[in-house]
Amino acid sequence: MLIKKSADIEPSEITPESVYRSRRLFLGAAALGVAAAAGGALLLPRGARAVPPATFGTLPESRFNTDEKPTSYDDVTHYNNFYEFGTSKEDPARYAGSLITDPWSVSVDGEVEKPGKFALEDLLKPYALEDRIYRLRCVEAWSMVIPWVGFPLSALLKRFNPTSRAKFVQFTTLYDPEQMPGQRRDVLDWPYTEGLRIDEAMHPLTILAVGLYGRHLPNQNGAPLRLVVPWKYGFKSIKSIVHIRLVEQMPQTTWHEAGPGEYGFYSNVNPHVDHPRWSQRTERRIGTFFRRDTLMFNGYGDQVAHLYSGMDLRQWF
Amino acid sequence: MVLNSATLPLPRNAVGWIKPTLFTAALLPLLWFIVAALGDALGANPIEAIVRGLGDWALRLLLLTLAVTPLRRLSGWGWIGQLRRMLGLYAFFYAMLHVLAYVVLDQFFDWTALGHDILKRPFITVGMVAFLILLALAVTSAKRLVKRLGGTRWKRLHSLIYPAAIAAVLHYAMMVKADLRNPLIYTALLALLLGCRVWHRLLYKPLESR
């Protein structure tokens, strides 16, 4: 019997199952053993966890969307780097429940004509949300495809009338060790900060996200408001933002401070410039077995390469 | 020589059941990885989980191997020494699976990438050094090789387990991005185990040579 999928499928309803099914087959064979299959029932397989219902309805799609297969919802929400909740990939999903995202307020200040502190719902009110299906490349050489829900950062920044001295934008994550247990250890210099050059911030690919897979952002993915800059390594896309500040000087950023020789301010995805401790030439797409070549600017070169013309990207890594 | 004159009470034939129990127990991590891989319970990045998990177990068994001699001296149970070779071979076994998982699952025989990794990335270079030492020790672990090499030479060769263990812990510490807690725990345990030996030497060498 031929089973047809309905044509009007939304990103929020894409079934990710076959992705990991193929991997499971390979790993099963690679693991050499058949004897142990019975014991497998004792462990909780991924995908057995419930996916919450969609909340945003049908959203307009973006011309920037990739048609690559999105990584499963379960993997996107259970394999995270969010050191505020612990340094293992499983920690954020496990511990981010303690983050209170409502009420939430965001300050916008610095080199703007109309600074202020806003309740999140007031801040977001003017913007139409869209689906943005982007590749995400982590500096650790793995990648995902994630259907974000968000709007261009430029739209938000314009509303506050940046002055001519606004050359950079600095973002800050919430600092509250009560809610973010990872901050009780000084693994990084809290609070987490990130930054963009103003032209990077105003680029149409740069978005603020409030959801993924048509649902509100789970806490472990940076609820309630996070940055997404798809041509840069994932750590640039700061999570759980409480402060946006426009500044004249290049701001300090957390990973750059932790390892200036390893993490640059720009941190554009670049297969030709290795991390000092591992190669950036290839990456593993979560849910697939073979490594794939990493693309310059994570495949967004046509849109963003001009921002860096004349710059030596080995020096400005 | 025995450190305490009063040995702790334990049947002399305890090794008769402890050794097979330990042999089976040391297989459990491998069994777990197989079951978890088949059951798709290794998370979003199962390859990373397998590579790192096998490395963790190689390191744990290496430290356990190094714990044999201090435990024997402290307890006075001579039979503990009979577990050392098995534990050492298990450490090598997991190190080998760790390297195999890296070559096959992580890099899928991309020899160019592997070559670059081993030569250009210090943490992989250091890990490879540790593995090659363990390989040499595993190959020369058979009893007849002790005889053929001669006790003194064999002992000298096998004291390379100390640099191997230091390299293995260093390999782990150099890989970590920012959170050094786990590598520091292993470092502390290794320092303790090596410290036991230094302490033993300082206490007993002068007496023996007198």
Side-chain angles (χ1 to χ4, degrees), chain A residues 62-275:
Chain A
S62 163
R63 64 192 167 99
F64 297 118
N65 282 1
T66 171
D67 53 9
E68 290 164 276
K69 196 179 184 68
T71 307
S72 79
Y73 181 83
D74 199 67
D75 286 349
V76 169
T77 56
H78 289 81
Y79 190 77
N80 308 100
N81 275 323
F82 198 173
Y83 280 17
E84 281 80 346
F85 297 104
T87 55
S88 94
K89 299 282 191 299
E90 295 77 27
D91 283 343
R94 211 173 285 153
Y95 301 118
S98 54
L99 178 67
I100 299 160
T101 58
D102 186 15
W104 191 272
S105 58
V106 180
S107 304
V108 183
D109 54 27
E111 298 294 344
V112 289
E113 286 170 14
K114 298 185 285 182
K117 186 174 181 174
F118 304 86
L120 184 68
E121 48 280 19
D122 298 333
L123 187 76
L124 299 181
K125 207 170 277 168
Y127 311 110
L129 299 175
E130 339 168 3
D131 277 321
R132 292 274 184 128
I133 309 176
Y134 282 164
R135 290 177 290 275
L136 175 126
R137 169 60 158 81
C138 178
V139 73
E140 297 167 358
W142 53 266
S143 63
M144 293 183 177
V145 173
I146 305 179
W148 301 106
V149 176
F151 60 96
L153 172 64
S154 62
L156 181 131
L157 292 180
K158 278 174 194 156
R159 177 168 139 205
F160 296 96
N161 294 352
T163 72
S164 59
R165 282 194 302 274
K167 301 280 180 6
F168 294 90
V169 187
Q170 181 174 36
F171 305 86
T172 309
T173 296
L174 176 71
Y175 177 72
D176 185 348
E178 289 290 309
Q179 295 182 54
M180 296 180 145
Q183 291 176 335
R184 293 172 208 164
R185 292 177 57 215
D186 51 1
V187 176
L188 293 170
D189 188 11
W190 313 115
Y192 196 98
T193 61
E194 257 308 335
L196 294 173
R197 218 169 54 188
I198 192 75
D199 55 343
E200 296 173 328
M202 300 303 265
H203 193 281
L205 275 174
T206 305
I207 59 166
L208 286 171
V210 295
L212 56 82
Y213 265 100
R215 296 155 174 88
H216 285 291
L217 278 177
N219 288 357
Q220 62 266 33
N221 292 86
L225 184 72
R226 67 168 292 166
L227 183 69
V228 178
V229 195
W231 72 92
K232 292 176 180 286
Y233 293 122
F235 69 86
K236 293 292 292 180
S237 294
I238 185 171
K239 303 184 179 86
S240 304
I241 298 168
V242 292
H243 191 178
I244 299 174
R245 187 172 177 81
L246 288 97
V247 292
E248 192 167 11
Q249 304 295 326
M250 183 182 282
Q252 279 291 354
T253 56
T254 298
W255 276 105
H256 178 66
E257 269 180 90
E262 302 198 331
Y263 311 97
F265 174 80
Y266 287 95
S267 285
N268 294 315
V269 175
N270 187 342
H272 311 300
V273 178
D274 284 342
H275 185 281

Side-chain angles (χ1 to χ4, degrees), chain A residues 20 23-24 27-28 31 33 36 40 45-46 75 79 87 140 185 263 274 277-279 281 284 286 289-291, chain B residues 34-36 38-41 43-48 105-106 108 110 113 121 123 174-179 181:
Chain A
Y20 54 83
R23 171 181 46 195
R24 175 156 51 174
L27 283 174
R46 293 163 326 105
D75 286 349
Y79 190 77
T87 55
E140 297 167 358
R185 292 177 57 215
Y263 311 97
D274 284 342
R277 287 185 280 154
W278 56 83
S279 167
R281 202 173 55 83
R284 165 156 300 111
I286 295 300
F289 177 72
F290 291 104
R291 285 178 167 271
Chain B
I34 293 170
V35 172
L38 291 173
D40 196 19
N45 196 344
I47 293 171
E48 182 189 69
L105 298 179
D106 188 53
F108 202 70
D110 183 344
R121 325 255 166 252
F123 89 94
M174 288 168 80
M175 182 207 76
V176 163
K177 261 167 81 194
D179 185 0
R181 181 160 61 179

